Amino acid sequence: MPSLKDLKNRINSVKSTQKITAAMKMVAAAKLRRAQEQAEAARPFAERMERVLSSLAGGMAGQEGASPLLAGTGADTVHLVVVMTSDRGLCGAFNSSIARGARRVIRDLLGQGKQVKILCVGRKGRDQLRRDFGKLIIGTIEDVGRPRLGFDAADMIAHRVLEMFEAGEFDVCTVIYNQFKSAITQIVTVQQLIPFAQPEPAAGAANAGGERPFYEYEPSEEEILSELLPRNLAVQFYKALLENAASEHGARMTAMDNATRNAGDMINKLSITYNRTRQATITKELIEIISGAEAV
Amino acid sequence: MADQIQFELVAPERLLLSQPVEMIVLPGAEGDFGVLPGHAPFVSTIRPGVIAVFDGGQVTERLFIAGGFAEVTPERCTVLAEEAMPVGQLDRGAIDTQMREARNDLADAKDDGDRAAAETRITVAEAKLAAMEGTVY
């Protein structure tokens, strides 16, 4: 049976842990709000980019000499999987669920006899995947979005991926990230970026494109497309990074909320034990005194 | 209103401007072009330069843009910018520093990629300077 002093120490330590988790929860909530605002602000650009791109791509798809970013390299043997996680832990199942999703995708690809390369964005993803696929990881990008998540971070990732693509190091690029739904729910999303997979509704609109306005292009269609596609890649990465950041803070907020509540429960239990023990000690001492007095 | 066109300027990080205007003059890759309501559908790349927004026959706003794309339809003109800011917010000291850094990088550039990147930065800085001194339409 633990002594009174031990119990007191434990209660104090749980109390200070609770203070930390409560503070982390507040910080995560504030950061979540900011991340959401940022995601909101980035939406118009992505939407319009998509509109221009799909009207362009609609006309270009299936044509000879279309950019490999749009049409693919023609091969399907080497896959690059970009796994986006956070750099820091203590955010519930956030990182593990991405790692689990990534493992499933990678196993699938390996099972089909494809070659897989992994690019990790965020330290935690690398740590989790290293055990199973250590040899497949070709690089890690860390400290993304510090101090502030900006478009240049996404641009940097896009550049790195594009360089590899141009060097012919892979054929298909897929990104795995957590899509933010609410502070409690995040959806692991697998999205193919290269070749550019057209969103379904846009593809439908392009097919019914007879009545769509015919654009004039300056300079040529190909030139615009060849500039637009790399830009689009950066935009997609940016979107994924923002979603991921919002998800991370949401997940951390929920996790810390739970932790705070659990710490509260634990303090209650420990206090009861402490009080009982103290009472028992007092009773024992009384019995000793009384029986001593009786014996005299 | 029939004689106005919806103008939107969007950067990756936020929506900079969205308002109906009378006319916009954009620095297209192959020359400046003006957009009035009812313009034919048109897509163009943008070189670094100044966007002039006209209202009531006057330039109401001048915005510097470091490059991007413009999509024009009869009712709407959307500019996807990489970097954009009102000309009034350009800072000569900062531009000079950028210019110097870019020149140094150009001198240190080891391969074509680095050289092209540095050259782009110089072009942008030069365009910024030109924008500060440029005449108003």
Side-chain angles (χ1 to χ4, degrees), chain B residues 42-132:
Chain B
F42 179 60
V43 173
S44 172
T45 47
I46 303 278
R47 68 184 155 78
V50 177
I51 298 176
V53 179
F54 285 75
D55 237 338
Q58 298 275 314
V59 178
T60 52
E61 214 154 347
R62 297 176 76 231
L63 300 142
F64 174 79
I65 177 166
F69 298 88
E71 183 207 18
V72 181
T73 63
E75 309 83 36
R76 203 177 46 220
C77 172
T78 311
V79 176
L80 303 176
E82 282 153 43
E83 185 197 336
M85 62 177 86
V87 169
Q89 283 176 21
L90 292 173
D91 171 18
R92 182 173 290 274
I95 300 168
D96 284 340
T97 323
Q98 280 171 15
M99 186 80 113
R100 218 171 310 120
E101 278 171 9
R103 289 241 162 86
N104 287 341
D105 285 359
L106 183 62
D108 300 340
K110 286 180 194 67
D111 56 65
D112 286 347
D114 287 356
R115 206 165 299 131
E119 270 164 8
T120 315
R121 278 164 56 201
I122 292 178
T123 322
V124 171
E126 273 168 358
K128 277 186 186 169
L129 285 177
M132 288 181 76

Side-chain angles (χ1 to χ4, degrees), chain A residues 102-117:
Chain A
R103 257 184 229 125
R104 208 185 46 231
V105 169
I106 294 165
R107 289 234 168 82
D108 263 5
L109 288 171
L110 289 175
Q112 289 165 28
K114 314 271 191 225
Q115 203 183 327
V116 178
K117 291 178 179 176

